[in-house]
Amino acid sequence: MKQTILVTGGTGFIGSHTTVELIQAGYNVVIADNLSNSKREVIGGIKKITGIEPAFEFIDLCNKEATREMLQRYRIDGIIHFAASKAVGESVEKPLMYYRNNITSLVNLLELMPEHNIKGVIFSSSCTVYGQPRPENLPVTEDAPHQKATSPYGNTKEINEQIIQDYIHSGAPIKSIVLRYFNPIGAHPSALIGELPNGKPNNLIPYVTQTAMGILEQLTIFGNDYDTPDGTCIRDYIYVVDLAKAHVAAMTRVLKKDTAALEYFNIGTGRGNSTREIVETFEKATGVKLNYTYGPRRAGDIEKIWGDCTKANTILGWKADTPLEDVLVSAWKWQLKLREDGVM
Ligand code: WQD
């Protein structure tokens, strides 16, 4: 009997790629999304790739009664919870919206899981909980100290991790795996789904590809006076398809009976690349010259972080192995497809 997974935020960037991998791994998927930062047309892309159209529920997960009624319509075995507001800058301007949305939705889902005999939940967390690791703590491991969040967005990730831990330690009949990802980038190789930020992008890669396409005038590299080899920030950029596969591995594990009630995994490549390296690799891999300049540091940016992902490699049997050049080409192919389709 196929197991059914509820993917909240499933029309979003990571959620849509994870839905594809879940379907291709033999799971049924129900997507729950409020379409506040994604488009329903993404479902069509998922269907074109997999041949299967996942069920879709247009819902605000902060509405507990509506969420309960939705769960009653399906037999859900597990949940992957992506749905959340995720723009660092916006969270500073609208903190209460972030606390209400990101925390209420999780609490509702956790409260409803036992009622519907849902055994496992994968939580989409972030390396942001580590803040700026000390130099001796790089690459950062799962037991590295957490630093005070530098934004309400990052704080909601920290609070949500604590909520899951406290709920499970209270004896709740559920299990959870918390995945702390680094920087998800790229697009599905089919170019049928990818990252489609509303308005001007905050994240680096959509800014790069939109500049390369001429939609944006110039990329500004935020700061070249950091204590790094080329002076620009360092991040662990992970291919979104590799990240999606990590979720399938985690979902399979959390639904097993004999694993721990709560586990944490870093999901990254284990390597760091600077902003300048990303720009130069993009130009080399695509043959497209980028118009960029150096500007002042961006408030809230940390200097350097990359993950020690040995735990996920050994316990989940998962590894991010797509070469950076191929990942950046996938992002560019997606941007070309958006132009071909008249989207931007
Ligand atoms: C990456 C690097 C910038 C844009 C955040 C969240 C993380 C996750 C991903 C949600 C930084 C530099 C960027 C630009 C630049 N959130 N940059 N010029 O801030 O590392 O991570 O987004 O999924 O939880 O913390 O990602 O892509 O914004 O920036 O120089 O126009 O690119 O300074 O060093 P970030 P980012």
Side-chain angles (χ1 to χ4, degrees):
M1 171 84 166
K2 269 191 177 185
Q3 291 182 307
T4 300
I5 308 301
L6 175 72
V7 179
T8 73
T11 49
F13 175 38
I14 306 169
S16 55
H17 287 81
T18 300
T19 296
V20 164
E21 298 305 324
L22 283 167
I23 292 171
Q24 292 180 334
Y27 288 98
N28 287 323
V29 172
V30 178
I31 288 179
D33 207 298
N34 67 3
L35 300 178
S36 62
N37 194 25
S38 59
K39 295 179 169 53
R40 188 169 182 154
E41 287 75 8
V42 168
I43 306 267
I46 293 169
K47 184 177 180 187
K48 278 190 195 141
I49 296 168
T50 64
I52 292 174
E53 180 168 342
F56 175 76
E57 295 281 342
F58 175 62
I59 187 168
D60 175 2
L61 296 169
C62 291
N63 180 332
K64 186 174 177 183
E65 220 16 70
T67 305
R68 172 181 276 123
E69 283 161 22
M70 172 187 68
L71 293 174
Q72 280 163 348
R73 289 198 288 275
Y74 301 93
R75 196 183 59 72
I76 303 288
D77 295 285
I79 298 174
I80 302 184
H81 183 43
F82 292 108
S85 304
K86 62 156 202 165
V88 173
E90 183 188 51
S91 77
V92 175
E93 291 154 28
K94 303 175 185 168
L96 297 184
M97 181 191 97
Y98 271 69
Y99 287 115
R100 181 192 303 284
N101 186 39
N102 293 4
I103 291 170
T104 309
S105 54
L106 175 68
V107 171
N108 284 345
L109 286 170
L110 292 175
E111 276 190 323
L112 290 167
M113 283 177 71
E115 271 182 45
H116 300 272
N117 198 27
I118 300 171
K119 289 295 178 208
V121 57
I122 307 298
F123 177 65
S124 159
S125 191
S126 165
C127 63
T128 204
V129 300
Y130 300 119
Q132 174 56 68
R134 300 172 61 80
E136 64 269 22
N137 287 339
L138 283 171
V140 68
T141 59
E142 287 83 354
D143 53 8
H146 292 198
Q147 316 261 350
K148 186 169 173 3
T150 54
S151 71
Y153 158 78
N155 206 21
T156 64
K157 290 299 181 189
E158 181 63 36
I159 293 167
N160 279 348
E161 285 200 11
Q162 199 58 57
I163 287 171
I164 291 169
Q165 180 180 305
D166 292 345
Y167 185 47
I168 287 176
H169 286 179
S170 75
I174 68 159
K175 293 169 65 192
S176 182
I177 287 180
V178 173
L179 299 181
R180 293 177 184 146
Y181 350 120
F182 290 75
N183 289 55
I185 64 169
H188 192 267
S190 66
L192 290 168
I193 55 174
E195 190 169 8
L196 195 50
N198 283 345
K200 204 168 180 184
N202 291 301
N203 292 130
L204 178 63
I205 300 307
Y207 213 107
V208 163
T209 57
Q210 289 188 26
T211 304
M213 182 54 80
I215 296 165
L216 296 172
E217 179 62 31
Q218 182 179 60
L219 167 75
T220 301
I221 294 181
F222 298 138
N224 63 342
D225 59 349
Y226 285 99
D227 179 18
T228 60
D230 65 17
T232 66
C233 290
I234 295 174
R235 295 289 185 275
D236 183 331
Y237 293 96
I238 174 169
Y239 186 30
V240 65
V241 174
D242 289 335
L243 175 60
K245 289 175 176 163
H247 285 79
V248 178
M251 191 80 254
T252 306
R253 178 174 173 87
V254 84
L255 292 178
K256 286 183 181 151
K257 299 237 182 322
D258 59 347
T259 54
L262 177 57
E263 294 180 297
Y264 300 87
F265 294 96
N266 282 343
I267 303 297
T269 65
R271 290 182 309 280
N273 284 107
S274 73
T275 310
R276 180 169 170 181
E277 282 172 340
I278 293 293
V279 168
E280 291 175 344
T281 306
F282 177 85
E283 291 183 317
K284 186 162 148 276
T286 62
V288 177
K289 193 89 188 76
L290 257 187
N291 176 14
Y292 70 93
T293 184
Y294 291 100
R297 295 182 175 195
R298 178 173 68 176
D301 271 346
I302 62 167
E303 180 173 79
K304 51 193 165 196
I305 188 167
W306 59 97
D308 177 328
C309 305
T310 319
K311 203 177 153 197
N313 302 154
T314 51
I315 295 176
L316 292 182
W318 165 89
K319 189 167 171 55
D321 51 14
T322 308
L324 179 61
E325 294 75 5
D326 297 353
V327 181
L328 294 171
V329 165
S330 77
W332 179 232
K333 273 178 61 185
W334 166 244
Q335 192 68 60
L336 288 169
K337 186 73 167 56
L338 290 174
R339 171 57 52 94
E340 186 187 312
D341 293 349
V343 174
M344 60 165 73

